[in-house]
Amino acid sequence: MTTASIASAVHGEEQGFLGHPKGLAYLAFTEAWERLSFYGMSSLLLLYILQRLLTPEIAGSVLAFGSLRAGIETLTGPLSNQAFASQVFSLYSGLVYFTPVFGGMLADRLLGQRRTVVLGALLMVAGHVLMVFDASFLIALSLLILGTGCLKGNISAQVGQLYAPGDEGRRTRAFAIFYAAINTGALLGPLVCGVLAQVYGWHVGFGAAGALMLIALVVYGAGWKHLPPDRKRQSSTAASTALAPRDWRIIAALLFVSMIGILPGAAYFQEMNAGLLLIEASVDRGLFGWTIPATSFNALDGLFCIMAVPLLIALWQWQAKRNREPHDLTKITIGYLIIAAANLMMVVPAGWVDNGETVSALWPVALYALNALGFIFYWPTQLALYSRAAPAQVNSTMMGILFLSIFLGNLLVGTLAGLWETLSHASFFALHAALAFAAFLIMLIVMRPIGKLLAQPQVSSRDQR
């Protein structure tokens, strides 16, 4: 079955979910539960390492923890506990976006997308279970990294396969809806797991994340018949044909676009690393006599992403009716500029913190709001662009490669987080604003030539016959 016929068959279903194929609902809600689990666990991770695993009575019982620290410090030099915890957090956050490359290869070459997603979900459930125990911390992280690699890119690839070639506007809006569902999980995960961890202990919070992942697996299985058919090299599909010279140029262009995204990605994800340290130490978190957990602020990212999606969809639909909807690359470029502005804004309160002041919680709220708006402009659009333009032979693999930019961005987050204790906080945020603005300028320069190459939906040579 060709890419076009797969999309046509699925597209032919009753449009039962906001005017989109039913499969979008199952994929979106699977990711919503998975992200609820992921962000719930991730919101605890940095402070769990600092406040429990690095304490003298616990550190020695964590398998291979001392070896990991020695290995990292071989590359970086001696690290404070804060810097080491930030490195571990960023390695985890980065590696879950590195392994989708291999998950995509596994799906394209052997298992197909659906079976690879199920494998990933099972690995993630096992990882969350092991997070309940201090000693198995690094084993748990390894399983979560491998599981996310199998699941993440392949679900995104399936969303794109719901739409026929040329349906660029609906595909982009579908990915925005997809990310609204995902960010429902990003909103609730830190709240649910954060409160459980604060009231009942770290391991109860981690256990809740495992239960949420099981729900994601059940939802995915329930929607099995509405998902696009598996595509892998052994089958007689368009993926079995050789890549043409133009395919290689498209691949190169997509790789270049994703590498540019490393810079604003680092600026965006820093809110969950050094930004969390700022909130913990220097933000007034009092509310009606109760101190809001610093980890709960990560829920704001999901909240504002959810709020941004209907506004942007309405804007893009209004523009589309007037033939003025921006192209994918333009939307991406706008997103980078918004993230630069968000970090530049934080220079003001960071300067006050440098002078020993405590700042209002409205500042990190505003940071999360602008960052979320910029992210919704650029990331779902990048997913839609890759899904549409990447050759069918390597579509899942290329989707995994797109997530590689987040991996590299998170590595950069960890490296830059080490500057939190050496730079002034104002300079720290100014540096991140400069990174995102540099990406904005590069996109302005390359937008026209790359846009021409990626303008038309790609149909395989088999489809053209």
Side-chain angles (χ1 to χ4, degrees), residues 63-247:
L63 295 174
F65 205 46
S67 298
L68 175 65
R69 181 163 193 164
I72 292 175
E73 290 183 338
T74 298
L75 299 174
T76 64
L79 296 172
S80 67
N81 279 350
Q82 179 271 310
F84 171 65
S86 289
Q87 284 284 352
V88 174
F89 179 83
S90 294
L91 280 172
Y92 166 73
S93 300
L95 285 170
V96 295
Y97 293 107
F98 174 71
T99 50
V101 176
F102 304 101
M105 291 180 179
L106 183 64
D108 280 336
R109 296 173 181 270
L110 185 61
L111 295 181
Q113 288 76 29
R114 292 188 289 185
R115 291 175 181 83
T116 309
V117 167
V118 171
L119 173 62
L122 292 172
L123 289 171
M124 293 179 72
V125 170
H128 283 301
V129 170
L130 290 178
M131 282 294 294
V132 173
F133 309 100
D134 294 329
S136 55
F137 172 71
L138 293 180
I139 299 172
L141 288 190
S142 299
L143 290 175
L144 289 168
I145 289 165
L146 293 174
T148 304
C150 289
L151 184 145
K152 190 68 179 162
N154 285 302
I155 278 194
S156 298
Q158 287 178 307
V159 173
Q161 291 164 14
L162 293 172
Y163 300 88
D167 200 358
E168 178 180 343
R170 290 183 73 242
R171 181 183 288 103
T172 301
R173 289 190 283 277
F175 272 104
I177 293 170
F178 180 64
Y179 257 78
I182 288 173
N183 281 289
T184 301
L187 166 64
L188 297 177
L191 295 176
V192 172
C193 295
V195 170
L196 287 174
Q198 180 164 312
V199 176
Y200 298 106
W202 295 108
H203 297 129
V204 173
F206 291 133
L212 296 169
M213 191 62 230
L214 272 176
I215 296 174
L217 181 57
V218 170
V219 171
Y220 189 76
W224 194 264
K225 68 179 181 179
H226 299 291
L227 305 178
D230 281 334
R231 295 184 298 135
K232 49 185 185 291
R233 285 187 183 276
Q234 288 88 337
S235 59
S236 56
T237 69
S240 64
T241 62
L243 291 168
R246 190 169 190 273
D247 292 330

Side-chain angles (χ1 to χ4, degrees), residues 247-264:
D247 292 330
W248 285 109
R249 291 196 295 273
I250 289 169
I251 289 171
L254 291 173
L255 289 174
F256 183 72
V257 170
S258 68
M259 292 303 101
I260 295 171
I262 293 171
L263 301 178

Side-chain angles (χ1 to χ4, degrees), residues 221-425:
W224 194 264
K225 68 179 181 179
H226 299 291
L227 305 178
D230 281 334
R231 295 184 298 135
K232 49 185 185 291
R233 285 187 183 276
Q234 288 88 337
S235 59
S236 56
T237 69
S240 64
T241 62
L243 291 168
R246 190 169 190 273
D247 292 330
W248 285 109
R249 291 196 295 273
I250 289 169
I251 289 171
L254 291 173
L255 289 174
F256 183 72
V257 170
S258 68
M259 292 303 101
I260 295 171
I262 293 171
L263 301 178
Y268 169 74
F269 285 107
Q270 192 65 260
E271 71 182 14
M272 300 176 191
N273 195 315
L276 190 63
L277 298 175
L278 176 74
I279 293 169
E280 175 81 0
S282 304
V283 169
D284 180 4
R285 294 180 281 122
L287 182 67
F288 305 122
W290 180 61
T291 299
I292 302 171
T295 55
S296 296
F297 276 76
N298 281 350
L300 293 173
D301 179 68
L303 173 64
F304 288 122
C305 283
I306 293 167
M307 294 172 63
V309 165
L311 296 176
L312 290 184
I313 288 179
L315 172 63
W316 293 339
Q317 288 177 331
W318 181 83
Q319 292 172 325
K321 291 177 182 178
R322 292 158 179 78
N323 295 317
R324 295 174 58 188
E325 182 176 4
H327 294 299
D328 287 344
L329 293 179
T330 302
K331 293 175 182 175
I332 292 168
T333 305
I334 292 170
Y336 293 168
L337 181 61
I338 294 172
I339 290 175
N343 281 272
L344 185 62
M345 172 197 69
M346 288 299 294
V347 171
V348 175
W352 297 337
V353 170
D354 287 332
N355 292 325
E357 299 181 35
T358 298
V359 299
S360 168
L362 293 178
W363 286 104
V365 168
L367 173 66
Y368 277 97
L370 281 177
N371 266 345
L373 179 62
F375 184 78
I376 293 299
F377 253 103
Y378 91 80
W379 181 248
T381 307
Q382 278 191 324
L383 288 171
L385 176 64
Y386 263 61
S387 174
R388 170 181 65 81
Q393 300 94 314
V394 291
N395 196 267
S396 289
T397 302
M398 288 300 295
M399 193 66 74
I401 287 173
L402 175 57
F403 285 102
L404 181 61
S405 68
I406 298 185
F407 160 68
L408 295 173
N410 272 282
L411 288 185
L412 184 56
V413 166
T415 300
L416 294 174
L419 301 174
W420 183 250
E421 295 176 313
T422 57
L423 287 179
S424 70
H425 294 345

